[in-house]
Amino acid sequence: MADLAQLEAAAEQRWLAGWLAGPTRTRYEELPPQPGDLAPDLELPDTSGDPRRLSEFWAHGPALAIFMRHFGCSCLMERWEGLKIELADYADAGARVLAICQAEPMRARAVAERRKYEFPLLCDPDLRAYRAFGLLEGQPAQILHDFPWEPGDEETARTQFLEPRRGTERAVVDSPWQRPGECVIGADGMIVLAHRYQCCEDFPPKTVLLGAIGAAGG
């Protein structure tokens, strides 16, 4: 079994390969799941490696499913700073919160413990759930904004991202292009809200999420 350092090194190499190649999944080949559709019900491991079905989180009431950016993204850190203040409101509204990340259980557990995530964290390194819920990769402008990006530019990748951030909370790992999303799902398994980020900072307002939770029967 790979140790944590080996997993982090492999995740870094995935980020580099993705950066050099650029985004590839930026268009829908078919309609993604929409409000009124049944939510995809996949089985993913949690941070202990135990398999969990997504539907267990909305079996007894609404769920807010948060699909994360990679762990080194500053936008994910900003989202967590706001989210941890809001969690009690979602619980009071009757919703369970879960998050899906791009890491394997060992890496996910280390980050969740260090950052003190207050919700179950499921692991989707193959991005199956991201795809099933219709979350595309972002164009460079959506992810990097006005930062100049060119395919194959390894020097920029290494000198401005990979090397200075290695070993920090902002270490680059996994997919550099995967866009996040947040979905509210009712106890009947129906999607009530599918918020697919248009850019990294496209956080849904708390009032929108609470409204969707209420509509879902929370």
Side-chain angles (χ1 to χ4, degrees), residues 17-49:
W19 172 276
L20 297 177
T24 57
R25 294 186 300 104
T26 59
R27 291 173 55 86
Y28 288 115
E29 300 299 328
E30 57 185 29
L31 283 176
Q34 302 176 71
D37 292 341
L38 278 171
D41 185 17
L42 286 74
E43 187 175 83
L44 300 173
D46 62 18
T47 56
S48 297

Side-chain angles (χ1 to χ4, degrees), residues 94-194:
R96 293 188 69 184
V97 176
L98 70 146
I100 296 93
C101 71
Q102 302 176 35
E104 311 84 2
M106 185 181 292
R107 280 197 299 132
R109 181 169 64 251
V111 171
E113 291 175 353
R114 190 169 65 246
R115 296 183 182 175
K116 297 181 171 56
Y117 286 156
E118 300 172 14
F119 40 67
L121 185 59
L122 305 187
C123 303
D124 186 22
D126 297 326
L127 305 180
R128 292 186 301 118
Y130 287 80
R131 290 185 173 92
F133 276 80
L135 296 170
L136 297 173
E137 293 179 322
Q139 300 281 4
Q142 293 173 288
I143 303 299
L144 303 172
H145 305 316
D146 59 352
F147 184 89
W149 174 85
E150 295 290 340
D153 183 2
E154 186 167 350
E155 180 180 0
T156 296
R158 290 190 177 278
T159 61
Q160 298 199 38
F161 292 91
L162 195 151
E163 292 170 2
R165 290 164 61 167
R166 183 182 290 135
T168 73
E169 282 295 316
R170 296 193 62 208
V172 290
V173 289
D174 301 313
S175 171
W177 308 112
Q178 179 61 59
R179 279 158 45 191
E182 304 190 22
C183 293
V184 174
I185 302 154
D188 57 0
M190 295 293 184
I191 296 173
V192 176
L193 175 72

Side-chain angles (χ1 to χ4, degrees), residues 8-22:
E8 289 173 344
E12 180 183 273
Q13 288 304 306
R14 284 196 296 277
W15 180 91
L16 179 60
W19 172 276
L20 297 177

